[in-house]
Amino acid sequence: MSEVKKIKFNNSQHPNSQFDIIELKELLSRTQLDHDLTIIHRVEFYHIFIVIEGTGKHTIDFTDYNFKKGTLFTLRKNQLHKFSKDYNANGYLLIFTEDFLISHFNKIEVSKSIQLFNDLLIMPKIELSSSEFKNIMELVNRIKTEYLDTYDDFSGGIIRSALHMIITKLFRIKTKNSDRLFQKKYFNEFVQFQQLIEKHYVDTKKVTDYASKMNCSSKTLNNICNSIIGKSAKVVIHEVVIIQIKRLLISTSLSVTEIAYKVGFEDPSNLYKYFKKHSGTTPELFRKAS
């Protein structure tokens, strides 16, 4: 299989900006793109994608999501996604880099913004109510006018303010829809645990090792995970590792044996057992079906 295309942030209209707004129909009609948007690809920046008309399906990582007017998706960098071939819809993509957030938001705002895109905590799909859709679109249109029609020395600040308001409103919606998840005790500790797994999963998949890195007991780490998402620390580790294996199966031409070594299995047969146990299928069947 061919390698999955990695899409870097590239703003041709305003090269010095780390933010862009693109209409979906315009994006899908571009002929100069060096990649097919209907084939799975990896994005190296953040997306907010809001549907303004039509229906269809969008694939993020390994899940297909149906959408309609008022559906909004949040994608974080390094996720895999694709547009369906029979798109009969339109919408807007607000895309920006992590550097954009760090440069223009304060530390707390950056943390909340990145949490908004955390697919382990909350699904990336939001169904906006009619009033929520209206409020978000007022801000999107404000950004669109500044970015496409006005763009001067003052536009950057106006765009940043409007994007900040969009992210804050979406954070409120996701918080409300998730039983005040982000205000729960241990939330920050859980995010720290997740980040540690993503950084060290090749080296260790043991709860005790991560508890040690966090200077707490395994019992405390389990309490943290159960408090936030109702799962044990061991299950959280498995979920992160399986996602990483699936991404390698889909996004690279590495053999299953090579992937086994890459994700820290000394014996490739252990990867087969691990993957089958936690995903219900074999690596080969998953790759073939995707």
Side-chain angles (χ1 to χ4, degrees):
M1 63 175 291
S2 59
E3 297 280 335
V4 164
K5 186 76 174 179
K6 294 181 181 179
I7 312 301
K8 296 183 179 296
F9 186 87
N10 179 29
N11 189 330
S12 58
Q13 184 164 356
H14 300 296
N16 294 325
S17 176
Q18 294 292 304
F19 168 88
D20 203 355
I21 179 170
I22 306 170
E23 187 175 359
L24 177 60
K25 283 187 175 179
E26 189 273 325
L27 176 64
L28 294 177
S29 68
R30 290 182 182 179
T31 58
Q32 75 276 22
L33 290 176
D34 63 353
H35 57 282
D36 185 346
L37 294 173
T38 64
I39 296 175
I40 201 78
H41 55 281
R42 183 190 299 273
V43 293
E44 297 189 349
F45 44 88
Y46 292 85
H47 279 61
I48 295 174
F49 169 33
I50 184 168
V51 180
I52 61 172
E53 62 180 4
T55 58
K57 180 180 69 176
H58 195 71
T59 304
I60 302 175
D61 273 335
F62 317 102
T63 303
D64 294 333
Y65 296 97
N66 293 320
F67 65 74
K68 60 184 179 180
K69 177 181 176 180
T71 302
L72 184 145
F73 296 103
T74 55
L75 285 81
R76 66 168 170 163
K77 65 177 184 178
N78 294 324
Q79 285 193 284
L80 303 177
H81 80 130
K82 68 176 180 178
F83 299 89
S84 60
K85 293 183 180 294
D86 56 346
Y87 250 65
N88 181 30
N90 197 19
Y92 289 100
L93 289 90
L94 308 180
I95 63 175
F96 46 92
T97 65
E98 190 167 9
D99 287 343
F100 180 87
L101 295 178
I102 293 171
S103 298
H104 302 300
F105 291 2
N106 65 40
K107 187 175 181 180
I108 294 175
E109 291 167 341
V110 171
S111 177
K112 285 187 176 181
S113 299
I114 292 175
Q115 290 167 17
L116 174 68
F117 295 86
N118 192 325
D119 52 303
L120 184 61
L121 291 167
I122 303 176
M123 67 184 297
K125 175 183 173 180
I126 304 174
E127 294 290 0
L128 300 173
S129 68
S130 57
S131 61
E132 290 167 344
F133 177 74
K134 180 181 177 181
N135 289 335
I136 295 295
M137 282 307 302
E138 287 175 353
L139 293 166
V140 170
N141 286 325
R142 188 181 306 173
I143 290 174
K144 179 185 173 184
T145 298
E146 283 297 327
Y147 190 81
L148 299 178
D149 301 333
T150 305
Y151 210 81
D152 57 20
D153 292 341
F154 304 99
S155 296
I158 294 171
I159 290 169
R160 288 194 295 272
S161 296
L163 180 62
H164 182 208
M165 289 182 68
I166 289 173
I167 288 175
T168 303
K169 285 178 178 293
L170 294 178
F171 197 82
R172 173 195 280 171
I173 292 168
K174 282 202 171 187
T175 300
K176 177 183 66 177
N177 293 344
S178 303
D179 192 27
R180 303 189 65 78
L181 170 67
F182 299 103
Q183 277 74 48
K184 283 187 176 181
K185 182 182 179 182
Y186 296 137
F187 179 79
N188 291 333
E189 288 83 354
F190 177 83
V191 172
Q192 179 190 3
F193 175 47
Q194 180 188 359
Q195 292 171 341
L196 285 171
I197 303 169
E198 291 175 344
K199 184 177 181 180
H200 298 289
Y201 73 91
V202 174
D203 304 314
T204 180
K205 300 169 181 60
K206 295 180 179 178
V207 174
T208 52
D209 290 338
Y210 290 103
S212 178
K213 291 179 185 295
M214 294 180 64
N215 296 314
C216 68
S217 66
S218 297
K219 181 179 179 180
T220 297
L221 187 52
N222 275 311
N223 289 338
I224 289 170
C225 295
N226 276 307
S227 172
I228 299 302
I229 58 173
K231 298 176 181 178
S232 69
K234 188 174 183 179
V235 169
V236 174
I237 293 171
H238 293 330
E239 289 186 354
V240 173
V241 173
I242 288 296
I243 284 289
Q244 299 302 327
I245 295 172
K246 285 181 175 179
R247 286 178 176 169
L248 287 169
L249 286 167
I250 297 303
S251 66
T252 74
S253 56
L254 295 173
S255 68
V256 175
T257 296
E258 289 172 320
I259 290 174
Y261 293 132
K262 191 174 182 66
V263 298
F265 290 93
E266 295 182 359
D267 184 344
S269 66
N270 290 335
L271 174 84
Y272 282 84
K273 297 173 185 176
Y274 186 90
F275 193 85
K276 180 69 180 296
K277 178 179 179 180
H278 296 292
S279 69
T281 187
T282 66
E284 291 91 348
L285 288 176
F286 173 79
R287 172 175 268 175
K288 185 176 181 180
S290 300

